[in-house]
Amino acid sequence: AAVNERLARAWGVEAATLESLADAVAASAPNPSLLVLDNCEHVLDQAALAVVMLGERVPDVRVLVTSREALHLPGERSVPLPPLPTGDDAVPDGSGPSDGSRLFVERAVDAGWKVDASEVLSSTITRRAVERICRRLDGLPLAIELVAPLASLHTLDELEERLAEQPDVDRTVRSPHLRQRTLGEILDWSVSRLTEHEHAA
């Protein structure tokens, strides 16, 4: 029901069921259309139903789904996304900071880190400190986003040391997704998604 409600709100239509939603979208959607469904791993079945229904009734609709699991639908093309590149090897020509360090600095500044982002990224010393932190986080965007706000509380060296010893897994970070408020919660949520075989491994 939540998926149907979100889709209806996104398209600006009134719909009580998935069928009525598909009909309403078919009548009002521009041609061609792009629908983006983000973070679908916890509603895979309903997201798959919505994609199939809209695909049947809306001409030239394309759907981009982000999820830890594929929908396994006919015609689906999966594009695995690796971790963000970090370190000097991420930008071999030395032309600038890596994507991981850019994300870290952007989220840290958004959270109140009182620095000039361009100065942090242009300074070899601070950029390398940020790169080391991002490498400790395996270049994972969510981990970088959760740790970056701590830059306003610690120096980069202190933050790297804290991550080496023990991550602040219980420090709350504001997020619209409850499972993503702390590193501990994202780890717990990730483990809960494992099959028995994966958990044993």
Side-chain angles (χ1 to χ4, degrees), residues 8-156:
R9 194 181 324 144
W11 283 104
V13 297
E14 294 289 335
T17 66
L18 188 54
E19 291 79 3
S20 61
L21 170 65
D23 289 339
V25 171
S28 64
N31 191 11
S33 298
L34 172 66
L35 174 63
V36 179
L37 302 176
D38 192 24
N39 276 354
C40 288
E41 54 269 2
H42 56 298
V43 288
L44 281 177
D45 291 340
Q46 190 60 26
L49 285 173
V51 169
V52 169
M53 188 75 66
L54 291 170
E56 290 174 348
R57 303 191 186 196
V58 182
D60 291 327
V61 67
R62 296 292 179 266
V63 183
L64 173 63
V65 177
T66 69
S67 173
R68 296 183 183 194
E69 301 175 47
L71 298 181
H72 302 294
L73 296 175
E76 177 179 9
R77 187 174 76 173
S78 295
V79 182
L81 296 180
L84 292 175
T86 60
D88 293 336
D89 55 338
V91 190
D93 62 357
S95 60
S98 69
D99 291 341
S101 61
R102 287 181 190 276
L103 177 63
F104 179 94
V105 172
E106 181 181 311
R107 293 297 182 265
V109 169
D110 288 347
W113 195 26
K114 304 297 184 192
V115 298
D116 183 301
S118 60
E119 288 182 10
V120 171
L121 294 172
S122 63
S123 164
T124 303
I125 294 174
T126 55
R127 185 177 72 242
R128 285 184 176 167
V130 170
E131 297 286 6
R132 288 194 301 270
I133 291 169
C134 292
R135 275 198 302 274
R136 285 207 173 273
L137 299 169
D138 295 329
L140 299 174
L142 180 57
I144 292 171
E145 289 187 331
L146 288 171
V147 169
L150 300 176
S152 62
L153 303 175
H154 308 284
T155 68
L156 294 175

